[in-house]
Amino acid sequence: VKLVESGGDLVKPGESLTLSCAGSGFTFTDKWMHWLRQAPGKGLEWVSSIYTGDGSTNSADSVSGRFTISTDNSKNMLYLQMNNLKAEDTARYHCAVGLIAFVLRGEAPLGQGTQVTVSS
């Protein structure tokens, strides 16, 4: 299993950004896919999840209404559309596959991450 994130950048508060995650070595069929983030000096924080089987999603309260998770199963791609970015969104963003409990315990594949910095 390999996950490669891209799309991170330095942006100003209020701007938008879309992150991408390319998955290989597994099929996207009927999988839980996730975005997590880690700010400097802090632990891994769950951001958003999607079940590729039916498109069900859920997100952390801190990003609900601003971030949208999606997939293109035919291309093995996971996305995170981030709108109205805030300074507190600054972190390294990682994608992951599998049950979230395993991901948070470090027992599931996690990408190397892409840096998002929100600063004026």
Side-chain angles (χ1 to χ4, degrees), residues 32-109:
W32 278 104
M33 301 288 297
H34 317 276
W35 284 101
L36 302 100
R37 64 188 181 186
Q38 187 163 23
K42 296 189 177 181
L44 199 59
E45 175 191 14
W46 170 71
V47 174
S48 190
S49 298
I50 185 167
Y51 183 62
T52 62
D54 62 7
S56 299
T57 65
N58 52 77
S59 298
D61 289 344
S62 59
V63 306
S64 183
R66 298 189 298 122
F67 290 11
T68 302
I69 189 171
S70 63
T71 64
D72 184 335
N73 293 351
S74 66
K75 296 181 180 179
N76 275 23
M77 292 294 295
L78 174 71
Y79 303 100
L80 185 68
Q81 172 67 42
M82 305 185 294
N83 297 327
N84 190 22
L85 282 160
K86 304 176 181 181
E88 52 263 42
D89 295 319
T90 295
R92 191 161 189 84
Y93 284 72
H94 302 266
C95 61
V97 57
L99 296 178
I100 190 63
F102 293 124
V103 173
L104 293 175
R105 290 204 300 260
E107 297 172 6

